[in-house]
């Protein structure tokens, strides 16, 4: 039994959600790396173009940075 493939938009949204929910430095790093790898796979499969890759990469980097800032702010 195989499941139907998820569309790229659902894959991207799932990665965005997981990164937004990350609560530790390690989980933020893991989810950011996973999201970037997912973007690379989508681009390799030609499911997204390079401009979309760049835009989403910047978004994921900014989201990870904001999560780290919240984490560091809460630790002080």
């Amino acid at each position: 039994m195989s499941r139907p493939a998820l569309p790229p938009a659902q894959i991207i949204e799932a990665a965005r959600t997981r990164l937004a929910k990350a609560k530790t430095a390690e989980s933020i790093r893991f989810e950011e790396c996973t999201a970037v790898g997912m973007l690379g796979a989508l681009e390799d499969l030609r499911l997204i173009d390079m401009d979309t890759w760049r835009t989403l990469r910047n978004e994921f980097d900014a989201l990870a940075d904001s999560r780290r800032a919240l984490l560091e702010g809460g630790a002080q």
Side-chain angles (χ1 to χ4, degrees):
M1 284 192 240
S2 63
R3 299 183 318 180
L6 293 175
Q10 276 188 287
I11 296 167
I12 293 164
E13 187 56 36
R16 186 181 289 124
T17 300
R18 285 192 308 270
L19 182 54
K21 289 181 179 180
K23 296 186 187 308
T24 65
E26 294 81 16
S27 64
I28 293 167
R29 173 97 173 118
F30 175 81
E31 294 301 345
E32 182 182 18
C33 290
T34 301
V36 170
M38 174 270 312
L39 289 176
L42 291 175
E43 198 278 323
D44 286 346
L45 293 168
R46 306 296 186 248
L47 297 174
I48 60 173
D49 60 26
M50 201 56 163
D51 289 336
T52 302
W53 182 94
R54 282 187 199 96
T55 300
L56 290 169
R57 173 67 195 258
N58 290 337
E59 178 189 336
F60 288 139
D61 287 345
L63 181 55
D65 289 344
S66 72
R67 298 294 300 152
R68 283 186 199 96
L70 285 173
L71 185 66
E72 291 169 3
Q76 295 176 351

